[in-house]
Amino acid sequence: MHDKQISPIAAAAGNGAGAGDTTPSLRRCIALLRSHTSLPHLRQTHAHALRTGIPLFHPLLAKHLIFSLISLPSPPLSYAELLFSLLPNPNIFTLNTMIRGYAESPHPFPALLLHRRMHAASLPPDSHTYPFLLKACARLLDLRHGESVHSLSVKNAHTSSVFVQNSLLHFYGACGLFESAHQVFEEMPVRNVVTWNSVINGFALNGRPNEALTLFQQVLDEENEVKPDGFTMVSLLTACAELGALALGRRVHLYIIKSGLYQNSHIGNALIDLYSKSGVAVDACKVFDEMPDRTVVSWTSLIVGLAVNGFGKEALKFFEEMEIGKLKPTEITLVGVLYACSHCGLVDQGFRYFNQMKDEYGIVPRIEHYGCMVDLLGRAGLVNKAHDFILNMPLEPNAVIWRTLLGACAMHKRVGLGEVAWSRLIKLDPGHSGDYVLLSNLYAGGSRWAEVQKLRRSMIKGGVKKTPGHSLLELGNKVYDFVMGDRSNPETDSIYEKLEEIAKRLRKEGYVARTMNVLADIQEEEKETALCYHSERLAIAFGLMKSAPGAAIRIVKNLRVCEDCHLAIKLISKVYEREIVVRDRSRFHHFRDGICTCKDYW
DNA sequence: CTAGGGTTAG
């Protein structure tokens, strides 16, 4: 049987390839296959064929196997089920290997199908199966399936394996259930470094860096063999970056240097990201310069980091340097490059990069790249061109694309086109509160109050809730969270007094609140108050109260800064002689002496 | 055959 390698697909196509070398045993198998009408019989025949030396996917055999399979009363339709059916003796080893393959592949879903098939075939998983299954569940964020795997492992008494426990930790962390993760953690008798990393990462991913850092302290304190490694550091840095917790991040950086982990390129990349996301591009560059092994990710992180901080030109310079170094950019690098162009108004240059993506770098533009181009045109005020660009895209425009256009319309007060984008958005992503806010601002900018009211009513009717804005401020070792109207901070009264004082000083500078963007469900005189209490104002007031004179104030906000706050913060930076850095949903604003690095273009 | 890490348009 010295067959040339012929793909199973060719075999399934049934063109008779390889038919010339039929042997008696193969002919017998095929005859058997045709006479059987149940899965076990098919498997037996397949096993018999393999025993006589016929390859697993011999074209003729595969063709008849598949034919017999799809002729069964209830044919297995998914690829995983087909494979499962084809296995002559599906034992737990082969199955685990297959589940692992799927769990690590770009499409992990068949791993779960195989699990169902195992269950149906009464083949119980062993202690090796759960980590693979949980990995697939974590990657698919399939909470229900993961929980059922958990209870199954309990039922089968397989939870004593530290591998299973660590996988459970990772799964719960990835799905955002850090309470469940923590519970598993608490019940573990033996913990290794992976255990600690999984639970730390679980907190870090869920915006709880304080808990992550407390656990880190615990690992250091506990008199055991567990030593934090590179994975631990990346988790901690990611947590700090997420919240812009610069001081905490710097402490982790010190530990990294002390423990000799600084040569790890993953850590270097995480540090670049931390400093970029904390608004200190200089330090990001410094880390980059000192890195012994720079990968594409390092370059990409720096390019994106510089771009969001308003250093578009510098970002592009690094990209050119990367090209000279013959390092091949990834699609994410190009997102960064286009992003840099759009935030600096470099329309022509952006188009040059976009047009040569495929020929020059071998990267086929994805929807993200098209999104950047819509943003590039829209920001520059070429709103009609942006619309034409969308209509001529080879990809189906998604909600983000239309949202970008709506944002550009709101920025440039183009009601008609904004309504076109809106009509797509309510079909593609109904109930997205940010879209209501954008359209409302667009109407309000044109003083179309009747439409604003109408929109407001449909928002209430549809149960669409505005995402509450909140701002984070790091002071000392703590990250404070401010929400509009929230009075849970024990110093609320003095914060509001401070706001009064700020308002007085700003008015002396000639500041008049721009109330038009406030959703019009409140009275005119209340609008100004509402603006004053936007979460970033509370955070800034608190920062002014609590930090040393002249110290920079860093804020991270979950939404975009409104026009009014942007103006007010510019003035605050001048009047109080403070550098104020605000990380927005979309970029950085560095306020100093009454101006912002975004040049009012954001 | 078993577990964990970095960059992604608004």
Side-chain angles (χ1 to χ4, degrees), chain A residues 251-304:
Chain A
R251 272 171 49 206
V252 177
H253 193 169
L254 278 179
Y255 179 86
I256 290 164
I257 294 168
K258 229 172 55 192
S259 59
L261 287 164
Y262 55 90
Q263 298 205 8
N264 178 325
S265 78
H266 290 296
I267 293 182
N269 297 338
L271 279 169
I272 293 175
D273 191 44
L274 165 79
Y275 289 126
S276 302
K277 288 211 170 101
S278 306
V280 270
V282 199
D283 287 353
C285 290
K286 216 171 124 206
V287 172
F288 180 84
D289 282 338
E290 291 167 1
M291 274 176 78
D293 294 304
R294 287 182 281 250
T295 65
V296 203
V297 179
S298 322
W299 288 87
T300 305
S301 302
L302 188 68
I303 289 169
V304 173

Side-chain angles (χ1 to χ4, degrees), chain A residues 465-482:
Chain A
K465 290 251 182 334
K466 191 175 173 295
T467 314
H470 65 121
S471 297
L472 305 172
L473 171 77
E474 186 193 40
L475 270 179
N477 285 339
K478 240 192 117 182
V479 176
Y480 295 85
D481 192 352
F482 296 87

Side-chain angles (χ1 to χ4, degrees), chain A residues 22 60-61 117 172 204 209 219 227 293 326 367 378 486 587:
Chain A
T22 48
L60 254 185
L61 186 72
R117 293 289 309 153
Y172 282 122
V219 191
K227 247 188 131 95
D293 294 304
K326 299 263 183 263
I367 191 93
D486 175 38
R587 60 164 297 148

Side-chain angles (χ1 to χ4, degrees), chain A residues 76-133:
Chain A
L77 293 178
S78 79
Y79 188 46
E81 299 202 10
L82 195 68
L83 276 169
F84 183 83
S85 321
L86 282 174
L87 287 175
N89 296 306
N91 65 25
I92 195 66
F93 300 105
T94 30
L95 273 164
N96 284 349
T97 311
M98 283 175 65
I99 291 176
R100 178 193 195 173
Y102 280 122
E104 288 168 358
S105 79
H107 302 288
F109 186 63
L112 303 187
L113 287 176
L114 272 172
H115 180 216
R116 291 219 182 98
R117 293 289 309 153
M118 280 171 75
H119 192 68
S122 306
L123 247 172
D126 68 4
S127 67
H128 291 227
T129 321
Y130 300 101
F132 300 141
L133 287 173

Side-chain angles (χ1 to χ4, degrees), chain A residues 9-86:
Chain A
I9 295 164
N15 55 13
D21 53 314
T22 48
T23 59
S25 72
L26 182 61
R27 278 203 299 275
R28 209 179 86 78
C29 287
I30 289 168
L32 275 171
L33 281 178
R34 294 187 151 222
S35 63
H36 292 321
T37 51
S38 77
L39 256 179
H41 279 128
L42 294 177
R43 283 212 201 97
Q44 248 172 34
T45 311
H46 196 197
H48 173 75
L50 297 182
R51 273 199 302 277
T52 58
I54 300 170
L56 183 65
F57 282 107
H58 183 281
L60 254 185
L61 186 72
K63 175 186 156 186
H64 286 282
L65 255 176
I66 291 169
F67 183 79
S68 305
L69 274 168
I70 60 173
S71 315
L72 288 173
S74 48
L77 293 178
S78 79
Y79 188 46
E81 299 202 10
L82 195 68
L83 276 169
F84 183 83
S85 321
L86 282 174

Side-chain angles (χ1 to χ4, degrees), chain A residues 355-429:
Chain A
N355 289 331
Q356 67 187 30
M357 268 175 70
K358 202 167 159 226
D359 297 336
E360 205 60 37
Y361 316 113
I363 296 166
V364 181
R366 294 199 320 194
I367 191 93
E368 287 87 350
H369 301 106
Y370 286 94
C372 288
M373 299 315 283
V374 174
D375 189 51
L376 177 69
L377 290 166
R379 252 174 225 283
L382 306 166
V383 190
N384 288 330
K385 277 199 178 154
H387 186 217
D388 289 341
F389 186 84
I390 295 176
L391 297 179
N392 291 317
M393 273 169 57
L395 300 172
E396 190 61 39
N398 61 13
V400 181
I401 298 278
W402 290 111
R403 190 165 300 138
T404 307
L405 184 68
L406 178 58
C409 291
M411 188 189 290
H412 297 286
K413 307 207 191 320
R414 297 286 301 273
V415 175
L417 198 52
E419 284 173 332
V420 172
W422 170 256
S423 69
R424 303 296 182 126
L425 281 165
I426 47 174
K427 287 204 188 71
L428 287 170
D429 190 6

